[in-house]
Amino acid sequence: MRRRSKLHLMWILPIVVCLIFLAIHTQKTRQLFRMSKHVRNLEGPSKPCVRQDSVYFLKVAKCASTTSLQIFVAYGVKHGLTFALPVRTGPIPISSKNLPPEYHGSPDGRYNMVVSHTQFSKAGAQQVMKESAKYVAVVREPAARFESMWYFAQYEKKLGISLTAYINASQRTSKQNAKLNVIANYFGVRDPRDDVPEGEVLSKAKWLNESFDLVMVAERFDESLVLLKHLMCWNTEDVAYVNAKIRRPTYRVELSEAQKNRLRQLNRQDVLLYKFFSKIFEEKVKAFGEERMQREVEELRQANARLIDDCGAELTGSRGTVKMWKVTNDSSICKMITMDGPTIHEQLKNRQKKWVSSNLTYDLSTWTFT
């Protein structure tokens, strides 16, 4: 009997030890699970990406604005979206009052996109934009922007002065001064004082930063478009592009560093805004992740190459001071990249005239560029 009892103990003891070990292990596992669940709850639920179909784009002259315009228009036309198209474009605030009824018929008076040259007015934009709209703008280094605009708009003929003379002049006419601080003008914050305190400009910049979801930087255009893609929850093909308005060589000039610095002094408000938004942009890129950004920029450039190849696009034409694209593919979007901004604007007006004249029954997604 004793021998049998000893044998039973030899079998039971290991089983008891195993059960104790399993109990302890199970308890720890439950504790770890509860802890990990608590951490996830602290982090909050991940927000799903929802495609955005409404955007107010502040189109600032000579800030990669036509290239950006084509991206937004291509998306809007593809998805049958509506555009708020003011009768006059430029640094003029948009509002419901300057949207002609013959090509504006939205029942609630609101539209998906503003892509024309306009001056930012938050109140005016909110009158015509969908409530869910994202607000996007683009800035460019002011000396480079001014030099580009000078030759594109042929200011030497219009103002009766060479660029060198303009830079060196101790005094300028009111017409000549109107060409300064254009970025600040489009943002709706230009101050008439040449010596406006820096703090006042930066205060306006902070207010603008609260109004805009993204201010892109022309010198970092590809990175800007990656951020735009994620802001709008679009795919890479939606932000693929070809460069618009590439200047012809005869309309290029190399300015000295002293001349550039003088242009920056003359466009002081633009410089302050540019530096402010460039810093914000850099913070967004870092938060996005540098390696991830490099990877997605490469994806974008591959998409750009596919777009050029699919359209059979070549820079063989010219119009005024810029080169123009010619294409062999007659698809709607390929046709669009051969057009300048005013031509695109007119075609969009005709598109919406068909929509209004049909009592809003015309399917906008079936329309194509001609």
Side-chain angles (χ1 to χ4, degrees):
M1 290 292 292
R2 290 180 180 177
R3 187 177 179 183
R4 190 176 297 173
S5 299
K6 287 181 179 180
L7 288 172
H8 284 161
L9 286 173
M10 289 176 64
W11 281 103
I12 292 171
L13 189 59
I15 293 172
V16 171
V17 171
C18 286
L19 289 173
I20 293 172
F21 175 79
L22 286 172
I24 294 172
H25 180 72
T26 301
Q27 182 66 18
K28 287 184 176 180
T29 301
R30 287 174 180 169
Q31 289 176 351
L32 288 171
F33 176 77
R34 285 195 295 268
M35 287 175 65
S36 64
K37 186 177 180 180
H38 178 63
V39 169
R40 287 198 298 271
N41 289 337
L42 286 175
E43 291 173 349
S46 59
K47 294 181 180 180
C49 184
V50 179
R51 190 181 76 182
Q52 303 296 310
D53 284 339
S54 297
V55 61
Y56 172 92
F57 172 56
L58 183 64
K59 188 173 185 280
V60 180
K62 301 311 293 177
C63 291
S65 58
T66 300
T67 303
S68 302
L69 159 78
Q70 291 183 349
I71 292 170
F72 290 119
V73 170
Y75 184 90
V77 168
K78 178 182 177 181
H79 293 279
L81 305 181
T82 56
F83 293 81
L85 302 163
V87 64
R88 291 176 59 212
T89 61
I92 304 164
I94 194 168
S95 71
S96 55
K97 294 180 180 179
N98 58 11
L99 301 182
E102 59 266 30
Y103 46 90
H104 293 92
S106 173
D108 62 358
R110 295 174 181 269
Y111 299 86
N112 296 108
M113 291 191 168
V114 169
V115 296
S116 308
H117 282 302
T118 59
Q119 184 184 70
F120 180 61
S121 162
K122 191 170 185 177
Q126 289 176 338
Q127 285 180 17
V128 303
M129 294 303 307
K130 299 285 187 182
E131 290 185 8
S132 61
K134 299 296 183 182
Y135 286 74
V136 178
V138 60
V139 294
R140 182 181 178 184
E141 196 284 311
R145 194 214 69 83
F146 189 92
E147 185 271 335
S148 178
M149 190 69 190
W150 184 275
Y151 287 97
F152 172 75
Q154 301 185 49
Y155 281 160
E156 186 164 339
K157 293 180 181 178
K158 294 178 181 179
L159 300 178
I161 188 173
S162 69
L163 179 56
T164 300
Y166 184 96
I167 292 172
N168 294 333
S170 57
Q171 291 184 326
R172 281 165 295 280
T173 66
S174 58
K175 186 177 180 180
Q176 292 169 351
N177 276 328
K179 309 306 178 185
L180 299 172
N181 293 301
V182 167
I183 294 175
N185 192 16
Y186 271 97
F187 273 100
V189 297
R190 183 168 69 179
D191 195 290
R193 296 170 293 172
D194 292 334
D195 60 348
V196 56
E198 181 176 333
E200 290 187 25
V201 179
L202 293 179
S203 178
K204 294 173 183 177
K206 291 174 183 177
W207 175 79
L208 289 168
N209 189 51
E210 293 176 356
S211 301
F212 282 85
D213 297 284
L214 173 66
V215 176
M216 304 190 294
V217 177
E219 287 80 7
R220 301 177 67 176
F221 194 57
D222 287 353
E223 293 166 286
S224 295
L225 293 182
V226 170
L227 295 180
L228 174 68
K229 177 183 76 171
H230 286 274
L231 172 69
M232 302 300 294
C233 194
W234 293 354
N235 60 45
T236 302
E237 302 297 331
D238 292 327
V239 294
Y241 69 96
V242 298
N243 283 309
K245 292 185 177 178
I246 298 174
R247 264 190 293 172
R248 294 162 60 188
T250 51
Y251 291 94
R252 289 185 179 275
V253 65
E254 286 294 327
L255 296 178
S256 68
E257 200 57 39
Q259 289 175 316
K260 292 177 184 177
N261 286 333
R262 179 56 181 158
L263 283 176
R264 293 178 186 122
Q265 291 171 2
L266 294 172
N267 291 278
R268 176 170 166 269
Q269 294 175 55
D270 282 2
V271 169
L272 291 171
L273 290 176
Y274 177 76
K275 288 182 176 180
F276 175 86
F277 284 118
S278 292
K279 183 178 179 181
I280 298 294
F281 181 84
E282 183 61 35
E283 291 172 356
K284 290 187 176 185
V285 170
K286 286 183 179 179
F288 187 83
E290 293 184 8
E291 289 186 11
R292 180 185 177 199
M293 178 61 76
Q294 291 175 3
R295 182 172 65 253
E296 296 205 23
V297 163
E298 181 55 33
E299 290 174 3
L300 172 60
R301 289 172 180 170
Q302 291 174 8
N304 293 345
R306 287 194 296 274
L307 176 61
I308 291 173
D309 186 59
D310 291 344
C311 288
E314 290 185 276
L315 272 174
T316 56
S318 64
R319 184 177 299 156
T321 63
V322 297
K323 297 178 181 179
M324 297 296 293
W325 291 93
K326 290 186 178 180
V327 298
T328 57
N329 187 328
D330 63 354
S331 73
S332 180
I333 300 307
C334 292
K335 288 178 181 176
M336 182 197 65
I337 67 175
T338 68
M339 302 174 184
D340 59 14
T343 303
I344 293 172
H345 200 262
E346 287 303 311
Q347 290 227 9
L348 290 177
K349 285 182 181 178
N350 293 332
R351 170 182 179 267
Q352 288 191 186
K353 282 179 181 178
K354 293 184 68 173
W355 176 59
V356 172
S357 64
S358 72
N359 198 26
L360 312 187
T361 60
Y362 175 72
D363 185 355
L364 287 170
S365 65
T366 64
W367 181 88
T368 60
F369 282 99
T370 58

